[in-house]
Structures are given as structure tokens and as C-alpha cells.
Amino acid sequence: MSPEPLPPVAPDVLAEAVEQLSARLRKKLDAAIEGCAERAARAADGSLDVRFGEDALVTLRPGPSGAVTEAGQAVCTCLLAPRCLHRAAVLGAAPLADAEGEAETGAETGAKGEGAADTDAVPESPEPTTGSPAPTRADAVTPGPAPEPSEATPPTPAQVRAATALWEAAAEALAAGVTAGGAVVQAELLRAAHTARLAGLPRAEAAALRVVRGLRAARERGRGQRLGDLAGAFRDLLSGAAPLASGTAGPGLAPARRTYGQGGSLRVYGLCREPVLSATGYGGVATHLVGPDGSRYTISDVRPGGLSRARGAGSASVALGGAVLDHAGLARGGLRIVGATVSPDGRLGAGRGVNATPLRGLDWSEEPAAALFAGPVGEAVAAALDAGAREGDAPEAALLGCDVEVVGAAGEYLVARVAGGGPLLRLRPAHPHPELPHAANLRRIAEHPGLVLRVLGRPDLDRAATLRPLAVGPVPGEPYTLRLPEEWLGRADLGYDRLQGSHFPRAAADSGPLAPVDAVPDPLADAPLWRVRRLLETGVAGGRRAVAEAGRGADATALLAPLRRAGLGGAAQLAEALTAEADRRPRDAFGRLTDSSADGYARAWLASAVHLAAAERSLVAASWS
């Protein structure tokens, strides 16, 4: 009989269970967690039992949500219960339940996000952020404008205390690293995260939970877990907690619950649709829209179901105000919405009083869609990078449109040049899943060098000159361009439509074999900044001690000399300060540590990480010019 999966556990329940253990039992917790999930069995009353020998039985009775959200829902029969190792081990082996703050800060973004999801049926509830941040029409929403930095409300004393506790827990976890970041270290982070939630800091709580999940995945050597992702999670957590702990936080670091404003009428026109597939089993579609003034909106339909749900939702009905369109029709059509409800990030809700009627769709060559393809791509990417730097864990970049000429395939990506003598771009699949047609469509396009395309996609802000296309279409007036069916209204959604041979022009059929395409220069990969990145990831993996070892002898020379030769003196100086701080362990005459705090080490690590992120943003922006 295969074991039953353990239900999710609320972070505060797990943190309390670990806190109740004695020091002796805490040392045994990591070993006790191993194998708990394999012993779970379903009881006759629907609860889950995990047996420890003959004298101890842990029983989990999840609440209506399917998660263990209260301490009384996890009980053990041993004499030490509830302060027993068995109960804490089972709770530690269970997955973490999603926090309210995670949904509000957009745990799921686009086709590669993770976290809980919901539909657009109730505008008052938090919904997953799919797509990019967008301005909203002034006549469509009632909330007032966001406060200016000078008008921003400073954090309350409770928020400062919560952020201070979160910083201290994160600093200790960073100093421990993955190797020593077991259940006890994670529980301290979870307790601090719960305190942040109670203080009204949902973004800080969500950042802490991302770190804990990353630590768990790294310790379990989970597939797809990268040290770079965990390092980024630590950077986001520390950089968000630091200004809050100092009492100088600016706007956006302590966001309120997402609200939906109700207003008058609104006209929106479809741009494209995008499959949404999360690592937690949710699937669906997000349809991107534009208003007459260029404002961006999204309507999403994301529910449990994974890949099959993502594939089928592309033609599912739009649940908005009785509209008779499906998502395929909306992506090439439009809606007039009365009583529209719009979130600050452009999400359209479907509450009571919302009515929608179909409108004729617009071609990409017509306004307001044409404006997406008119501006310089370098300026658009620079603005997206600046927004990401200001907002920290901002959603993915806004959609970017441009006309390109296909050069050919180079390895795992398609090379294209922006029309008008623009930069060479790498076009990569928006979602790499083989059952979605993104990659297959790009491979077919690569077979037609010289083809001129109009592309709408999302720039990858972590890679040099990389665009992830969501839809493509013909360029008006160009002879060697796509030939799409009339009903497609001049574009093909790469996540749903499959390009066929009849969609391409018949030129160059006898031009001989395709010549190999040289790889596009990558200033990000060529710069020696990778040495700093490796140092930071070494600290995440092995903790403070591993960073100190990397700064001694020949290793220090190999780290710093290439940075200085390349003119990256600031990066070298911060890396040197990090290794020195990691190795600073002052002791008294009896060999006892006089300063065991990880605060200085965390600040040095964060300074180097923030500098590295800024330097990489500059290189990415330069690659688009």
C-alpha cells in the first residue's frame, strides 16, 4: 500500500511545535523527520496516522481547507505530548500551507509561477497575479492614487519589532546555510514570519516562506531547485526586512491586501492568451488585454488540474459578467464592461453588478495595440529593470512588442534581430513543458531565416537580450512574413496555436541547407561577475564557514584578481569584505566567542548580493541597446 500524502501545515503550527521541544529533542528532530511521510496511513475516520513504534501514534485531522491550521488538529499518544518529538517530526515532514500574504503578493506569476491560485469570480478575495503590473483607467476604479514617498505611512512599532525578528532569524539561517539549516533553523524563520503576518507585513511573511521552502528543497535535493533561486530568496527577504527593521521603509514594503475598485464602463481588446502552469498542480489561462488609453489588463482562469487544465482552459468560457466569449475568442476580440472591478495590477474581477458584452477585435496594426510595437525595446526593458529594482519582488516584466527578422536556431534558442538595425535577441519558450507548443512553434519558425515577424512577449530580466514570446503575427507590408488564417486576426498564440507549413511563405524553398548560426554574445556570461555569484551561492549552501574558506590563500586571489582586472573594483571590495567578515570570529582569553551574532555577516552578504544584482541589471539593459 502506497503512503498517503501528508496535508499542508500552517507555518505557525509547525513553529510552535518545534519551540515546545527541549534542547535535547531539537537535536534529534532532523533525523526523526526522515521517513515520516512514508509511514502515513489513512484511518477509517479520514484522518492520517503516522506510527512511531508501538507506543506513539500521531494523528492529523485537517480542517475544512484541507490543511492543519490549529495545534489541536495534530495529536500524539505518547506521554510527552504535545511537547514530543513525534508530533513535531510529522508536522515538519508535511508541506507548508500557503499563507494569505503569498497570494496577495503574487506567488503565481505567468506560466512558471508557483503557489495557490483562484478564479476571478469574487473580486474581494486575493487572486493570483498572472501577467504584469498595469495602470488602470481613472474612470474605472474608485481607489485614490497611491501615496507619494513623502506621504507614505512609516512602519508601526509592532512592524519594526516583527521585521527585526525576521532579520535576525534570516541572518542566522544564512550563516548556517543549507547544510545546517535544518528544522530548528526553519522553525525560527516560520515563527518570525508568523509575527510579521500578525503585524501586517504579508510581503515579508511570503519572502520568509519562500526561503524556508527553498531550504527544504535544497536539503532534500529536490529536482529543479537551484542555489541561485535560494540566494535570490535570501536577498529579497533581507533587503525587505532591513529598511522595515530600521523604521525607514518606503512605500510598497508593507502592502495592504489587494483591493478591487468598482467603477463605470470599460472597453478592453484582446492581445493574446498565455497558458498558466504552476509547480503546485494548478493550471489555466491568462488572457492579456489593452484599453483604449493603452492600459493593460488580464483576465485569468486558474484552478487545480495541472497540465490538462492549462491546455483546456484556452478555449474555456470567460467567467465575467455573463460574457458569451471563450478565452480564444477574447484574445482576438474585445469586451465592453459595465461596473468593472479592477485591481491595482490590472486584474479584472467578476463580482456582482459586472456586465460584459462582446466587441469587435482589433488587429495588432490598429491602435491601441499598435503602440506596443512602436517604442524602442531598450527603453522598455530599462524601465522594467528599474521597476524591478524599486519593488524588489515585483511581478514579471510587462509585455513587450517588436518586429524582428529571424536569423536561425543557435542551440536551445532562436536568434532574431530587432527590425531597424536593433539588437540580436534570443527567443526562448515562454514555458518549456514539452506538452505545450511554445518550443515546437519556435523550432518551426527557426526553419525560415529571413522571416519577418511581429512578436509580443515578456523580456527575461535575468538574461541578456532574451525575450519569451507569447504570440507572433505578420508584419504589414512585408512580403516574407507569416500567412495566418483570417479567423486568427493576425496573430498566433504560441502556447495554444500550432504553426503549420501553410502559415509560412513559399520563398527560399530551394536555398540549400541552413547555415549554422553563431551564438549571440552574452555580456552577462562573459563578465567575471560569476565569481561573485558563486561565492554568494557557496555561502547559501555551506554557510558562513564555507565563505570564510573561500577567502583564504589562493582561493582569495582567484576570486578577487579577475574582478579587479575587469574594472569591477566595487564587486571585488564587497567580496573581500564578505570573506573577511565571515572569517571574523573574535574570542576571549579562554577561547570563547565574544560576538556570535550573524548580523554583520548578513549585512556583508546582502551588500554583495545587491551590488551583484545591480551590476547584472546594467549588463542586461546594455544588451538590449
Side-chain angles (χ1 to χ4, degrees), residues 172-194:
E172 293 295 336
L174 180 64
V178 172
T179 54
V184 175
V185 172
Q186 296 169 24
E188 291 298 322
L189 268 172
L190 293 177
R191 184 174 60 156
H194 181 62

Side-chain angles (χ1 to χ4, degrees), residues 335-354:
L335 287 176
R336 176 181 285 110
I337 307 173
V338 178
T341 59
V342 188
S343 74
D345 59 0
R347 294 289 307 279
L348 293 175
R352 294 193 208 113
V354 178

Side-chain angles (χ1 to χ4, degrees), residues 69 201 292 355 421:
T69 57
L201 300 175
N355 293 301

